[in-house]
Amino acid sequence: RFDDSGDPMVHLRLFLDILHPMGLTRLQKLSLFGRTLSGIAAIWYAKLEDSVKRRWEDMVKAFVAQYSYNT
């Protein structure tokens, strides 16, 4: 779980490493990503514009930008 205190790049890498063997599509990854967040990070994701949550690349950029201070 990512609660806004960890490195966003590490969280993304672990998330992708776990899902890679499953062969999920980007849309499926987007659907699951929000469930890996807790606390303030989950609130941030819930408030994120739907247009950003439609593309994996856009969501990743927004996530890393939001928590770049943790890198």
Side-chain angles (χ1 to χ4, degrees):
R1 309 277 281 152
F2 183 87
D3 63 1
D4 94 334
S5 64
D7 184 325
M9 296 301 292
V10 170
H11 182 72
L12 285 166
R13 175 55 41 210
L14 294 173
F15 177 76
L16 292 174
D17 285 350
I18 289 169
L19 295 183
H20 182 72
M22 297 177 195
L24 299 179
T25 67
R26 289 179 175 167
L27 203 53
Q28 290 169 319
K29 290 175 194 173
L30 278 169
S31 174
L32 293 173
F33 185 75
R35 297 172 191 216
T36 70
L37 307 176
S38 64
I40 293 172
I43 294 168
W44 168 82
Y45 187 79
K47 292 181 177 181
L48 193 60
E49 293 181 24
D50 287 338
S51 62
V52 176
K53 291 193 269 188
R54 286 190 191 115
R55 290 193 63 232
W56 175 254
E57 293 82 2
D58 293 342
M59 191 284 305
V60 166
K61 286 179 188 174
F63 179 68
V64 171
Q66 176 69 23
Y67 296 103
S68 63
Y69 60 87
N70 287 344
T71 57

